[in-house]
Coordinates of all heavy atoms in Angstrom, one line a residue:
T1 N 11.8 -84.6 -3.9 CA 11.6 -83.1 -4.0 C 11.7 -82.8 -5.5 O 12.7 -83.2 -6.1 CB 12.6 -82.4 -3.2 OG1 12.4 -82.7 -1.9 CG2 12.4 -80.9 -3.3
G2 N 10.8 -82.1 -6.1 CA 10.9 -81.7 -7.5 C 11.5 -80.3 -7.6 O 11.5 -79.5 -6.7
Q3 N 12.0 -80.1 -8.8 CA 12.6 -78.7 -9.1 C 11.8 -78.2 -10.3 O 11.4 -78.9 -11.2 CB 14.0 -78.8 -9.5 CG 14.9 -79.3 -8.3 CD 16.4 -79.3 -8.7 OE1 16.7 -79.0 -9.9 NE2 17.2 -79.7 -7.8
L4 N 11.5 -76.8 -10.2 CA 10.8 -76.2 -11.2 C 11.5 -75.0 -11.7 O 12.2 -74.3 -11.0 CB 9.4 -75.7 -10.6 CG 8.6 -76.7 -10.0 CD1 7.4 -76.1 -9.2 CD2 8.0 -77.6 -11.0
A5 N 11.4 -74.7 -13.0 CA 12.1 -73.6 -13.6 C 11.0 -72.5 -13.7 O 10.1 -72.6 -14.5 CB 12.6 -73.9 -15.0
V6 N 11.2 -71.4 -12.9 CA 10.2 -70.3 -12.9 C 11.0 -69.0 -12.9 O 12.0 -68.9 -12.2 CB 9.3 -70.3 -11.7 CG1 8.4 -69.1 -11.6 CG2 8.5 -71.6 -11.6
Y7 N 10.7 -68.1 -13.8 CA 11.4 -66.9 -13.9 C 10.5 -65.7 -13.4 O 9.9 -65.0 -14.2 CB 11.8 -66.7 -15.4 CG 12.7 -67.8 -15.9 CD1 12.1 -68.8 -16.6 CD2 14.0 -67.9 -15.6 CE1 12.9 -69.9 -17.1 CE2 14.8 -68.9 -16.0 CZ 14.2 -69.9 -16.7 OH 15.0 -71.0 -17.1
L8 N 10.5 -65.6 -12.1 CA 9.7 -64.5 -11.5 C 10.6 -63.8 -10.5 O 11.4 -64.3 -9.9 CB 8.5 -65.2 -10.7 CG 7.5 -66.0 -11.6 CD1 6.6 -66.7 -10.7 CD2 6.8 -65.0 -12.5
F9 N 10.3 -62.5 -10.4 CA 11.0 -61.7 -9.5 C 10.5 -61.9 -8.1 O 9.4 -62.2 -7.9 CB 10.9 -60.2 -9.9 CG 11.5 -59.9 -11.2 CD1 10.7 -59.7 -12.3 CD2 12.8 -59.8 -11.4 CE1 11.2 -59.4 -13.6 CE2 13.4 -59.6 -12.6 CZ 12.6 -59.4 -13.7
E10 N 11.4 -61.6 -7.1 CA 11.1 -61.6 -5.7 C 11.0 -63.0 -5.1 O 10.7 -63.2 -3.9 CB 9.8 -60.9 -5.4 CG 9.8 -59.4 -5.8 CD 10.9 -58.6 -5.1 OE1 11.4 -59.0 -4.0 OE2 11.3 -57.6 -5.7
I11 N 11.2 -64.1 -5.9 CA 11.1 -65.4 -5.3 C 12.5 -66.0 -5.3 O 13.1 -66.1 -6.3 CB 10.1 -66.3 -6.2 CG1 8.7 -65.8 -6.1 CG2 10.2 -67.8 -5.7 CD1 7.7 -66.5 -6.9
D12 N 12.9 -66.5 -4.1 CA 14.2 -67.1 -4.0 C 14.2 -68.6 -4.2 O 15.1 -69.1 -4.8 CB 14.8 -66.8 -2.6 CG 15.2 -65.3 -2.5 OD1 15.6 -64.7 -3.5 OD2 15.1 -64.8 -1.4
F13 N 13.2 -69.2 -3.7 CA 13.1 -70.7 -3.8 C 11.6 -71.1 -4.0 O 10.7 -70.5 -3.5 CB 13.5 -71.4 -2.5 CG 15.0 -71.2 -2.2 CD1 15.3 -70.2 -1.2 CD2 16.0 -71.9 -2.8 CE1 16.6 -70.0 -0.9 CE2 17.3 -71.6 -2.5 CZ 17.6 -70.7 -1.5
I14 N 11.5 -72.2 -4.8 CA 10.2 -72.8 -5.0 C 10.5 -74.3 -4.8 O 11.3 -74.9 -5.5 CB 9.5 -72.6 -6.4 CG1 9.2 -71.1 -6.6 CG2 8.3 -73.4 -6.5 CD1 8.7 -70.8 -7.9
F15 N 9.8 -74.9 -3.8 CA 10.0 -76.3 -3.5 C 8.6 -77.0 -3.8 O 7.6 -76.5 -3.4 CB 10.4 -76.6 -2.1 CG 11.8 -76.1 -1.8 CD1 11.9 -74.9 -1.1 CD2 12.9 -76.7 -2.3 CE1 13.2 -74.4 -0.8 CE2 14.2 -76.3 -2.0 CZ 14.3 -75.1 -1.2
Q16 N 8.7 -78.2 -4.4 CA 7.4 -78.9 -4.7 C 7.6 -80.3 -4.3 O 8.7 -81.0 -4.7 CB 7.1 -78.8 -6.2 CG 5.8 -79.4 -6.5 CD 5.9 -80.6 -7.4 OE1 6.8 -80.7 -8.2 NE2 5.1 -81.6 -7.3
R17 N 6.7 -80.9 -3.6 CA 6.7 -82.3 -3.2 C 5.2 -82.8 -3.3 O 4.4 -82.2 -2.6 CB 7.3 -82.5 -1.8 CG 7.3 -83.9 -1.5 CD 8.1 -84.1 -0.2 NE 8.2 -85.6 0.1 CZ 8.8 -86.1 1.1 NH1 9.4 -85.3 1.9 NH2 8.9 -87.3 1.2
E18 N 5.0 -83.7 -4.1 CA 3.7 -84.3 -4.3 C 2.8 -83.1 -4.7 O 3.0 -82.4 -5.7 CB 3.2 -85.1 -3.1 CG 4.1 -86.3 -2.9 CD 3.8 -87.0 -1.6 OE1 2.9 -86.5 -0.8 OE2 4.5 -88.0 -1.3
Q19 N 1.7 -82.9 -4.0 CA 0.8 -81.8 -4.3 C 0.9 -80.6 -3.4 O 0.0 -79.8 -3.3 CB -0.7 -82.3 -4.2 CG -1.1 -83.4 -5.2 CD -0.9 -82.9 -6.6 OE1 0.0 -83.4 -7.3 NE2 -1.8 -82.0 -7.0
K20 N 2.1 -80.4 -2.9 CA 2.4 -79.2 -2.0 C 3.6 -78.4 -2.6 O 4.5 -79.0 -3.1 CB 2.8 -79.7 -0.6 CG 1.7 -80.4 0.1 CD 2.1 -80.8 1.5 CE 0.9 -81.6 2.1 NZ 1.3 -82.0 3.5
V21 N 3.4 -77.1 -2.6 CA 4.4 -76.2 -3.1 C 4.7 -75.1 -2.1 O 3.7 -74.5 -1.5 CB 3.9 -75.5 -4.4 CG1 4.9 -74.5 -4.9 CG2 3.7 -76.5 -5.5
A22 N 5.9 -74.8 -1.8 CA 6.4 -73.7 -0.9 C 7.1 -72.7 -1.7 O 8.1 -73.1 -2.4 CB 7.2 -74.3 0.2
I23 N 6.7 -71.5 -1.7 CA 7.4 -70.4 -2.3 C 8.0 -69.6 -1.2 O 7.3 -69.2 -0.3 CB 6.4 -69.5 -3.1 CG1 5.7 -70.3 -4.2 CG2 7.1 -68.3 -3.7 CD1 4.5 -69.6 -4.9
I24 N 9.3 -69.3 -1.3 CA 10.1 -68.8 -0.2 C 10.9 -67.6 -0.7 O 11.7 -67.7 -1.6 CB 11.0 -69.8 0.4 CG1 10.1 -71.0 0.9 CG2 11.8 -69.3 1.6 CD1 10.9 -72.2 1.3
E25 N 10.8 -66.5 0.1 CA 11.7 -65.3 -0.1 C 12.5 -65.3 1.2 O 12.0 -65.4 2.3 CB 10.8 -64.0 -0.2 CG 11.6 -62.8 -0.1 CD 12.5 -62.5 -1.3 OE1 12.4 -63.2 -2.3 OE2 13.4 -61.6 -1.2
V26 N 13.9 -65.1 1.0 CA 14.8 -65.1 2.1 C 15.4 -63.8 2.3 O 15.8 -63.1 1.3 CB 15.9 -66.2 1.9 CG1 16.9 -66.2 3.1 CG2 15.3 -67.6 1.7
K27 N 15.5 -63.3 3.5 CA 16.1 -62.0 3.9 C 17.1 -62.2 5.0 O 16.8 -62.9 6.0 CB 15.1 -61.0 4.3 CG 14.1 -60.6 3.2 CD 14.7 -59.8 2.1 CE 13.7 -59.3 1.1 NZ 14.3 -58.7 0.0
Y28 N 18.3 -61.7 4.9 CA 19.3 -61.7 5.9 C 19.1 -60.5 6.8 O 19.0 -59.4 6.3 CB 20.7 -61.8 5.3 CG 21.8 -61.8 6.3 CD1 22.0 -63.0 7.1 CD2 22.5 -60.7 6.6 CE1 23.0 -63.0 8.0 CE2 23.5 -60.7 7.6 CZ 23.7 -61.8 8.3 OH 24.7 -61.8 9.3
L29 N 19.2 -60.7 8.1 CA 19.1 -59.6 9.1 C 20.4 -59.5 9.8 O 20.9 -60.4 10.4 CB 18.0 -59.9 10.1 CG 16.6 -60.1 9.6 CD1 15.7 -60.5 10.7 CD2 16.1 -58.9 8.9
H30 N 21.0 -58.3 9.8 CA 22.1 -57.9 10.6 C 21.7 -57.7 12.1 O 22.4 -58.1 13.0 CB 22.8 -56.7 10.2 CG 23.4 -56.8 8.8 ND1 24.5 -57.5 8.5 CD2 23.0 -56.3 7.6 CE1 24.8 -57.5 7.2 NE2 23.8 -56.7 6.6
N31 N 20.5 -57.2 12.2 CA 19.9 -56.9 13.5 C 18.4 -57.3 13.4 O 17.8 -57.0 12.4 CB 20.0 -55.4 13.9 CG 21.4 -55.0 14.2 OD1 22.1 -55.6 15.0 ND2 21.9 -54.0 13.4
P32 N 17.8 -57.8 14.5 CA 16.4 -58.2 14.5 C 15.4 -57.0 14.1 O 14.4 -57.3 13.5 CB 16.1 -58.7 15.9 CG 17.4 -59.1 16.4 CD 18.4 -58.2 15.8
W33 N 15.8 -55.8 14.5 CA 14.9 -54.7 14.2 C 14.8 -54.4 12.8 O 13.9 -53.7 12.3 CB 15.3 -53.5 15.0 CG 16.7 -53.0 14.7 CD1 17.9 -53.4 15.4 CD2 17.1 -52.2 13.6 NE1 19.0 -52.8 14.8 CE2 18.6 -52.1 13.7 CE3 16.5 -51.5 12.6 CZ2 19.3 -51.3 12.8 CZ3 17.2 -50.8 11.7 CH2 18.6 -50.7 11.8
M34 N 15.7 -54.9 12.0 CA 15.7 -54.7 10.5 C 14.6 -55.4 9.8 O 14.3 -55.1 8.6 CB 17.0 -55.2 9.9 CG 18.2 -54.3 10.3 SD 19.7 -54.9 9.5 CE 19.3 -54.9 7.8
S35 N 13.9 -56.4 10.4 CA 12.9 -57.1 9.7 C 11.8 -56.3 9.1 O 11.3 -56.6 8.0 CB 12.3 -58.2 10.7 OG 11.7 -57.6 11.8
F36 N 11.5 -55.2 9.8 CA 10.5 -54.3 9.2 C 11.0 -53.5 8.0 O 10.2 -53.0 7.2 CB 10.0 -53.3 10.3 CG 9.3 -54.0 11.4 CD1 9.9 -54.1 12.6 CD2 8.0 -54.5 11.3 CE1 9.3 -54.8 13.7 CE2 7.4 -55.1 12.3 CZ 8.0 -55.3 13.5
Q37 N 12.3 -53.4 7.9 CA 12.8 -52.6 6.7 C 13.2 -53.5 5.6 O 13.5 -53.0 4.5 CB 14.1 -51.9 7.2 CG 13.7 -50.8 8.2 CD 15.0 -50.1 8.7 OE1 16.1 -50.6 8.6 NE2 14.8 -49.0 9.4
R38 N 13.3 -54.8 5.8 CA 13.9 -55.7 4.8 C 12.9 -56.1 3.7 O 13.3 -56.6 2.7 CB 14.4 -57.0 5.4 CG 15.6 -56.8 6.3 CD 16.8 -56.3 5.5 NE 17.3 -57.4 4.7 CZ 17.8 -57.3 3.5 NH1 17.8 -56.1 3.0 NH2 18.2 -58.3 2.9
L39 N 11.6 -55.8 3.9 CA 10.6 -56.1 2.8 C 9.7 -54.9 2.7 O 8.9 -54.6 3.5 CB 9.8 -57.4 3.3 CG 8.9 -57.9 2.2 CD1 9.7 -58.6 1.1 CD2 7.9 -58.9 2.8
S40 N 9.9 -54.3 1.5 CA 9.1 -53.1 1.3 C 7.7 -53.5 0.9 O 7.4 -54.6 0.5 CB 9.8 -52.3 0.1 OG 9.6 -52.9 -1.1
N41 N 6.8 -52.5 0.9 CA 5.4 -52.7 0.4 C 5.4 -53.2 -1.0 O 4.6 -54.1 -1.4 CB 4.6 -51.5 0.6 CG 4.3 -51.2 2.1 OD1 4.3 -52.1 2.9 ND2 4.0 -50.0 2.4
E42 N 6.3 -52.6 -1.8 CA 6.3 -53.0 -3.3 C 6.8 -54.5 -3.4 O 6.2 -55.2 -4.2 CB 7.3 -52.1 -4.0 CG 6.8 -50.7 -4.2 CD 7.0 -49.8 -2.9 OE1 7.9 -50.2 -2.1 OE2 6.4 -48.8 -2.7
Q43 N 7.8 -54.9 -2.6 CA 8.2 -56.2 -2.7 C 7.2 -57.2 -2.2 O 7.0 -58.2 -2.9 CB 9.5 -56.4 -1.8 CG 10.7 -55.8 -2.4 CD 11.9 -56.0 -1.4 OE1 11.8 -55.7 -0.3 NE2 13.0 -56.6 -1.9
L44 N 6.5 -56.8 -1.2 CA 5.4 -57.7 -0.7 C 4.3 -57.8 -1.7 O 3.8 -58.9 -2.0 CB 4.8 -57.1 0.6 CG 3.7 -57.9 1.2 CD1 4.1 -59.3 1.6 CD2 3.2 -57.2 2.5
L45 N 4.0 -56.7 -2.4 CA 3.0 -56.8 -3.4 C 3.4 -57.7 -4.6 O 2.6 -58.5 -5.1 CB 2.7 -55.4 -3.9 CG 1.6 -55.2 -5.0 CD1 0.2 -55.8 -4.5 CD2 1.4 -53.8 -5.5
R46 N 4.7 -57.6 -5.0 CA 5.2 -58.4 -6.1 C 5.2 -59.9 -5.7 O 4.8 -60.8 -6.5 CB 6.6 -58.0 -6.5 CG 6.6 -56.7 -7.4 CD 7.9 -56.4 -8.0 NE 9.0 -56.3 -7.1 CZ 9.4 -55.1 -6.6 NH1 8.8 -54.0 -7.0 NH2 10.4 -55.0 -5.7
L47 N 5.6 -60.2 -4.5 CA 5.5 -61.5 -4.0 C 4.1 -62.1 -4.0 O 3.9 -63.2 -4.4 CB 6.1 -61.6 -2.6 CG 7.6 -61.8 -2.4 CD1 8.0 -61.5 -1.0 CD2 8.0 -63.1 -2.9
K48 N 3.2 -61.3 -3.5 CA 1.8 -61.8 -3.4 C 1.2 -62.0 -4.9 O 0.5 -63.0 -5.1 CB 0.9 -60.7 -2.7 CG 1.2 -60.6 -1.2 CD 0.7 -61.8 -0.5 CE -0.8 -61.7 -0.3 NZ -1.4 -62.7 0.6
N49 N 1.6 -61.1 -5.8 CA 1.1 -61.2 -7.2 C 1.7 -62.5 -7.8 O 1.0 -63.2 -8.5 CB 1.5 -60.0 -8.0 CG 0.6 -58.8 -7.7 OD1 -0.5 -59.0 -7.2 ND2 1.1 -57.6 -8.0
N50 N 3.0 -62.7 -7.6 CA 3.6 -64.0 -8.1 C 3.0 -65.2 -7.5 O 2.7 -66.2 -8.2 CB 5.1 -64.0 -7.8 CG 5.9 -63.0 -8.7 OD1 5.4 -62.7 -9.8 ND2 7.0 -62.5 -8.2
F51 N 2.7 -65.1 -6.2 CA 2.1 -66.2 -5.5 C 0.7 -66.5 -6.1 O 0.4 -67.7 -6.4 CB 2.0 -65.9 -4.0 CG 1.0 -66.7 -3.2 CD1 1.3 -68.0 -2.9 CD2 -0.2 -66.2 -2.7 CE1 0.5 -68.8 -2.1 CE2 -1.0 -66.9 -2.0 CZ -0.7 -68.2 -1.7
L52 N -0.1 -65.5 -6.3 CA -1.5 -65.7 -6.8 C -1.4 -66.2 -8.2 O -2.2 -67.0 -8.6 CB -2.2 -64.3 -6.7 CG -2.6 -63.9 -5.3 CD1 -3.2 -62.5 -5.3 CD2 -3.5 -64.9 -4.6
N53 N -0.5 -65.7 -9.0 CA -0.3 -66.1 -10.4 C 0.0 -67.6 -10.5 O -0.6 -68.3 -11.2 CB 0.7 -65.2 -11.1 CG 0.9 -65.7 -12.5 OD1 0.0 -65.9 -13.3 ND2 2.2 -65.8 -12.9
L54 N 1.0 -68.0 -9.7 CA 1.4 -69.4 -9.7 C 0.3 -70.3 -9.2 O 0.1 -71.4 -9.7 CB 2.7 -69.6 -8.8 CG 4.0 -69.1 -9.4 CD1 5.1 -69.1 -8.4 CD2 4.3 -69.9 -10.7
R55 N -0.4 -69.9 -8.2 CA -1.5 -70.7 -7.6 C -2.6 -70.8 -8.6 O -3.3 -71.8 -8.6 CB -2.0 -70.0 -6.3 CG -2.8 -71.0 -5.5 CD -3.1 -70.4 -4.2 NE -4.0 -69.3 -4.3 CZ -4.5 -68.6 -3.2 NH1 -4.1 -68.9 -2.0 NH2 -5.3 -67.6 -3.4
Q56 N -2.8 -69.8 -9.5 CA -3.9 -69.9 -10.4 C -3.5 -70.5 -11.8 O -4.4 -70.8 -12.6 CB -4.5 -68.5 -10.7 CG -5.2 -67.9 -9.4 CD -5.5 -66.4 -9.5 OE1 -5.2 -65.8 -10.6 NE2 -6.1 -65.9 -8.5
T57 N -2.2 -70.6 -12.0 CA -1.8 -71.2 -13.3 C -1.1 -72.5 -13.2 O -1.7 -73.5 -13.4 CB -0.9 -70.1 -14.1 OG1 0.2 -69.8 -13.3 CG2 -1.7 -68.9 -14.4
K58 N 0.2 -72.5 -12.8 CA 1.0 -73.7 -12.8 C 0.6 -74.7 -11.7 O 0.8 -75.9 -11.8 CB 2.5 -73.3 -12.6 CG 3.1 -72.7 -13.8 CD 4.6 -72.5 -13.5 CE 5.3 -71.8 -14.6 NZ 5.6 -72.7 -15.7
F59 N 0.0 -74.2 -10.6 CA -0.2 -75.0 -9.4 C -1.7 -75.0 -9.0 O -2.0 -74.9 -7.8 CB 0.6 -74.6 -8.3 CG 2.1 -74.6 -8.6 CD1 2.8 -73.4 -8.5 CD2 2.7 -75.8 -8.9 CE1 4.2 -73.4 -8.8 CE2 4.1 -75.8 -9.2 CZ 4.8 -74.6 -9.1
K60 N -2.6 -75.1 -10.0 CA -4.0 -75.0 -9.7 C -4.5 -76.1 -8.7 O -5.3 -75.8 -7.9 CB -4.8 -75.1 -11.0 CG -5.0 -73.9 -11.8 CD -5.9 -74.1 -12.9 CE -6.1 -72.8 -13.7 NZ -7.0 -73.0 -14.8
S61 N -4.0 -77.3 -8.8 CA -4.5 -78.4 -8.0 C -3.5 -78.6 -6.8 O -3.6 -79.7 -6.2 CB -4.6 -79.6 -8.8 OG -3.4 -80.0 -9.4
Y62 N -2.6 -77.7 -6.5 CA -1.7 -77.8 -5.4 C -2.0 -77.0 -4.2 O -2.7 -76.0 -4.3 CB -0.3 -77.4 -5.9 CG 0.3 -78.3 -7.0 CD1 -0.1 -78.2 -8.3 CD2 1.4 -79.1 -6.6 CE1 0.5 -79.0 -9.2 CE2 2.0 -79.9 -7.6 CZ 1.5 -79.9 -8.9 OH 2.1 -80.6 -9.9
D63 N -1.5 -77.4 -3.1 CA -1.6 -76.7 -1.8 C -0.4 -75.7 -1.8 O 0.8 -76.2 -1.6 CB -1.6 -77.6 -0.6 CG -1.6 -76.8 0.7 OD1 -2.1 -75.7 0.7 OD2 -1.2 -77.4 1.7
V64 N -0.5 -74.5 -2.1 CA 0.6 -73.5 -2.3 C 0.7 -72.6 -1.1 O -0.3 -72.0 -0.7 CB 0.4 -72.7 -3.6 CG1 1.6 -71.8 -3.8 CG2 0.2 -73.6 -4.8
K65 N 1.9 -72.5 -0.5 CA 2.1 -71.6 0.6 C 3.2 -70.6 0.2 O 4.1 -70.9 -0.5 CB 2.6 -72.4 1.8 CG 1.7 -73.5 2.2 CD 0.4 -73.0 2.8 CE -0.4 -74.1 3.4 NZ -1.7 -73.8 3.7
L66 N 3.1 -69.4 0.8 CA 4.1 -68.3 0.6 C 4.7 -68.0 1.9 O 4.0 -67.6 2.8 CB 3.4 -67.1 -0.1 CG 4.3 -65.9 -0.3 CD1 5.4 -66.1 -1.2 CD2 3.4 -64.7 -0.8
F67 N 6.1 -68.1 2.0 CA 6.8 -67.8 3.2 C 7.9 -66.7 3.0 O 8.5 -66.7 1.9 CB 7.5 -69.1 3.7 CG 6.5 -70.2 4.1 CD1 6.3 -71.2 3.2 CD2 5.9 -70.1 5.3 CE1 5.5 -72.2 3.6 CE2 5.0 -71.2 5.6 CZ 4.8 -72.2 4.8
L68 N 8.1 -66.0 4.1 CA 9.2 -65.1 4.2 C 10.1 -65.7 5.3 O 9.6 -66.0 6.3 CB 8.8 -63.7 4.6 CG 9.9 -62.7 4.9 CD1 10.8 -62.4 3.6 CD2 9.3 -61.3 5.3
C69 N 11.4 -65.8 5.0 CA 12.3 -66.5 5.9 C 13.4 -65.4 6.2 O 14.1 -64.9 5.4 CB 12.9 -67.7 5.2 SG 14.2 -68.5 6.1
F70 N 13.5 -65.1 7.5 CA 14.5 -64.2 8.0 C 15.7 -65.1 8.6 O 15.4 -66.0 9.4 CB 14.0 -63.3 9.1 CG 13.1 -62.2 8.6 CD1 11.7 -62.2 9.0 CD2 13.5 -61.2 7.8 CE1 10.9 -61.3 8.6 CE2 12.6 -60.3 7.3 CZ 11.3 -60.3 7.7
V71 N 16.9 -64.8 8.2 CA 18.1 -65.5 8.8 C 18.9 -64.4 9.4 O 19.3 -63.4 8.8 CB 18.9 -66.2 7.7 CG1 20.1 -66.9 8.3 CG2 18.0 -67.1 6.9
D72 N 19.2 -64.6 10.7 CA 20.1 -63.6 11.4 C 21.5 -64.1 11.4 O 21.9 -65.1 10.8 CB 19.6 -63.4 12.8 CG 19.8 -64.5 13.8 OD1 20.6 -65.5 13.5 OD2 19.2 -64.5 14.9
R73 N 22.4 -63.2 12.0 CA 23.8 -63.5 11.9 C 24.3 -64.8 12.6 O 25.3 -65.3 12.4 CB 24.6 -62.3 12.3 CG 24.5 -62.0 13.8 CD 25.5 -60.9 14.2 NE 24.7 -59.7 14.3 CZ 25.2 -58.5 14.5 NH1 26.5 -58.4 14.5 NH2 24.5 -57.4 14.6
N74 N 23.4 -65.2 13.5 CA 23.7 -66.5 14.2 C 23.1 -67.7 13.5 O 23.0 -68.8 14.1 CB 23.2 -66.4 15.7 CG 23.9 -65.4 16.5 OD1 25.1 -65.2 16.3 ND2 23.2 -64.7 17.3
Q75 N 22.6 -67.5 12.3 CA 22.0 -68.4 11.4 C 20.7 -69.0 12.0 O 20.3 -70.1 11.7 CB 22.9 -69.5 11.1 CG 24.1 -69.0 10.3 CD 25.0 -70.1 9.8 OE1 25.0 -71.2 10.3 NE2 25.9 -69.8 8.9
R76 N 20.0 -68.2 12.9 CA 18.7 -68.6 13.4 C 17.7 -68.2 12.3 O 17.8 -67.2 11.6 CB 18.3 -67.9 14.7 CG 19.1 -68.5 15.8 CD 18.7 -67.7 17.1 NE 19.0 -66.3 16.9 CZ 19.5 -65.6 17.9 NH1 19.8 -66.0 19.0 NH2 19.8 -64.3 17.6
I77 N 16.7 -69.0 12.1 CA 15.7 -68.8 11.1 C 14.3 -68.5 11.7 O 13.9 -69.2 12.6 CB 15.6 -70.0 10.1 CG1 17.0 -70.3 9.5 CG2 14.5 -69.8 9.1 CD1 17.1 -71.6 8.8
E78 N 13.7 -67.5 11.2 CA 12.3 -67.1 11.6 C 11.4 -67.2 10.3 O 11.8 -66.6 9.3 CB 12.2 -65.7 12.1 CG 13.0 -65.5 13.4 CD 12.3 -65.9 14.6 OE1 11.0 -66.0 14.6 OE2 13.0 -66.1 15.6
W79 N 10.3 -67.9 10.4 CA 9.4 -68.1 9.3 C 8.1 -67.2 9.4 O 7.6 -67.2 10.5 CB 9.0 -69.5 9.1 CG 10.1 -70.4 8.7 CD1 11.0 -71.1 9.6 CD2 10.5 -70.8 7.4 NE1 11.9 -71.8 8.9 CE2 11.6 -71.6 7.6 CE3 10.1 -70.4 6.2 CZ2 12.3 -72.2 6.5 CZ3 10.8 -70.9 5.1 CH2 11.8 -71.8 5.2
V80 N 7.7 -66.6 8.4 CA 6.5 -65.8 8.4 C 5.6 -66.4 7.2 O 6.1 -66.4 6.0 CB 6.7 -64.3 8.2 CG1 5.4 -63.6 8.1 CG2 7.6 -63.8 9.3
N81 N 4.4 -66.8 7.5 CA 3.5 -67.2 6.4 C 2.9 -66.0 5.8 O 2.0 -65.4 6.4 CB 2.4 -68.2 7.0 CG 1.6 -68.8 5.9 OD1 1.5 -68.3 4.8 ND2 0.8 -69.8 6.3
L82 N 3.3 -65.6 4.6 CA 2.8 -64.4 3.9 C 1.5 -64.6 3.3 O 0.8 -63.6 2.9 CB 3.8 -63.9 2.9 CG 5.1 -63.3 3.4 CD1 6.0 -62.9 2.3 CD2 4.8 -62.2 4.4
A83 N 1.0 -65.8 3.1 CA -0.3 -66.0 2.5 C -1.4 -65.4 3.4 O -2.5 -65.2 2.9 CB -0.5 -67.5 2.3
D84 N -1.1 -65.2 4.7 CA -2.1 -64.6 5.6 C -2.1 -63.1 5.5 O -3.0 -62.5 6.1 CB -1.8 -65.1 7.0 CG -1.9 -66.6 7.2 OD1 -2.7 -67.2 6.4 OD2 -1.3 -67.1 8.1
Y85 N -1.2 -62.5 4.8 CA -1.1 -61.0 4.8 C -1.6 -60.4 3.5 O -1.5 -61.0 2.5 CB 0.3 -60.6 5.1 CG 0.7 -60.9 6.5 CD1 1.4 -62.1 6.8 CD2 0.5 -60.0 7.5 CE1 1.8 -62.4 8.0 CE2 0.8 -60.3 8.8 CZ 1.5 -61.5 9.0 OH 1.8 -61.8 10.3

């Protein structure tokens, strides 16, 4: 697993292995209904812009995915592929 130094807002983790990159934003949920409130439209737009910028500059030849990860109080994890939104 490689590590990358990137100074972008709204990105919690970037993982790179071979030609694959995962960009991950993590949100903690006190209650499941909070998922709709935990990511504002502005945050989603910034995440998408960062994703597109990285895909077009640093990771041109990589398979880049953008994920939102919700973690609840029982430490269950739900993944959303934001590249589809």
Side-chain angles (χ1 to χ4, degrees):
T1 303
Q3 294 182 359
L4 303 168
V6 177
Y7 302 98
L8 297 170
F9 296 105
E10 302 299 337
I11 295 176
D12 290 327
F13 297 101
I14 297 178
F15 295 103
Q16 184 247 328
R17 183 173 183 177
E18 298 171 358
Q19 293 302 108
K20 297 180 180 181
V21 175
I23 300 170
I24 303 168
E25 171 68 13
V26 179
K27 297 291 186 185
Y28 178 76
L29 299 178
H30 297 286
N31 293 304
W33 59 266
M34 290 178 59
S35 61
F36 295 104
Q37 297 176 342
R38 293 295 289 142
L39 189 69
S40 70
N41 288 337
E42 293 81 18
Q43 286 177 307
L44 180 59
L45 182 60
R46 285 192 299 266
L47 273 169
K48 292 286 284 191
N49 285 339
N50 287 335
F51 165 72
L52 293 172
N53 179 46
L54 286 172
R55 196 169 70 179
Q56 294 169 358
T57 58
K58 291 185 180 281
F59 303 117
K60 277 186 177 181
S61 61
Y62 291 73
D63 178 22
V64 183
K65 304 290 184 192
L66 176 62
F67 296 100
L68 174 61
C69 174
F70 290 115
V71 181
D72 70 14
R73 69 173 100 191
N74 296 321
Q75 298 183 347
R76 287 182 300 222
I77 300 171
E78 297 276 340
W79 293 91
V80 177
N81 184 347
L82 291 179
D84 296 333
Y85 293 92

